[in-house]
Amino acid sequence: MIITTPLVVMMCIIFVLVFLFVKTIDRRKWLTALVSLAITPFAYFYGVYPMINIFSNYHHQKYFSSELWKNKPALRYELSDDMIASEILLGKSKQEVELLLGTAEWMSWSEALKDHNANKWNYALGIEPGAFNTEKECAQITFKNDTVVDINIYKEAITFDAKD
């Protein structure tokens, strides 16, 4: 988990609220502060965080890891922000990208060629948690002269295949 400004602000707000609540039970400030400090992480991760995930698309970010990317595709949306910000893929060859991310899941379609474009690899990032998400995220990696020149995150409507 990457410690971000919204996380720190939310933890501080929750600490103050828990402190004010516990203060109504006992007036000893040292005990109130100690109990509030112990309860705050639980209040956040079991109370506030689930509600944030239900009603918004906010999620924690993780540092990019090739092992997590390959072994836990459901966490890719959490890894993608760091992957783009750190520019870890820019300038890498197709072989290096394949070592880090695995084989491309699909190639983009080129209307000019009427075929798949071998210079645009796509990976599914998954669906961000939340009650109202109707799109899945994908990452498109563009190559020029066998090296990465661009990484683009885009959203696609979720479709379900009808079974015959």
Side-chain angles (χ1 to χ4, degrees):
M1 171 183 359
I2 297 175
I3 297 175
T4 60
T5 304
L7 174 66
V8 172
V9 169
M10 285 299 295
M11 290 294 265
C12 290
I13 291 170
I14 293 167
F15 174 79
V16 169
L17 293 174
V18 169
F19 182 84
L20 292 173
F21 175 74
V22 174
K23 194 170 119 178
T24 63
I25 299 169
D26 194 336
R27 295 281 180 200
R28 293 178 286 188
K29 289 190 182 190
W30 67 270
L31 183 61
T32 302
L34 189 62
V35 169
S36 298
L37 195 60
I39 292 175
T40 297
F42 293 103
Y44 177 76
F45 287 108
Y46 292 109
V48 176
Y49 184 66
M51 296 307 289
I52 290 171
N53 275 332
I54 289 172
F55 295 109
S56 76
N57 63 355
Y58 172 78
H59 58 83
H60 287 295
Q61 299 173 3
K62 291 183 174 32
Y63 290 109
F64 177 77
S65 160
S66 180
E67 293 79 29
L68 277 177
W69 182 275
K70 291 177 188 175
N71 298 328
K72 301 207 181 235
L75 296 179
R76 286 182 180 173
Y77 65 89
E78 294 180 7
L79 302 168
S80 63
D81 290 337
D82 184 57
M83 178 181 70
I84 292 169
S86 67
E87 299 180 348
I88 194 167
L89 295 179
L90 291 180
K92 297 232 186 273
S93 69
K94 288 182 179 180
Q95 292 78 20
E96 291 171 318
V97 171
E98 194 166 359
L99 280 174
L100 285 171
L101 305 181
T103 307
E105 293 174 356
W106 71 92
M107 307 287 182
S108 292
W109 183 259
S110 173
E111 283 298 323
L113 299 172
K114 299 289 186 209
D115 195 7
H116 294 284
N117 186 347
N119 289 319
K120 290 192 178 184
W121 293 7
N122 291 278
Y123 294 89
L125 299 180
I127 303 167
E128 286 187 56
F132 307 108
N133 291 337
T134 59
E135 297 176 319
K136 61 183 175 183
E137 288 195 12
C138 304
Q140 182 180 63
I141 300 171
T142 306
F143 294 91
K144 187 173 185 180
N145 298 328
D146 198 37
T147 57
V148 176
V149 293
D150 188 37
I151 303 167
N152 181 34
I153 303 295
Y154 65 95
K155 292 187 178 191
E156 214 175 69
I158 297 172
T159 56
F160 299 97
D161 295 330
K163 299 205 178 197
D164 296 334

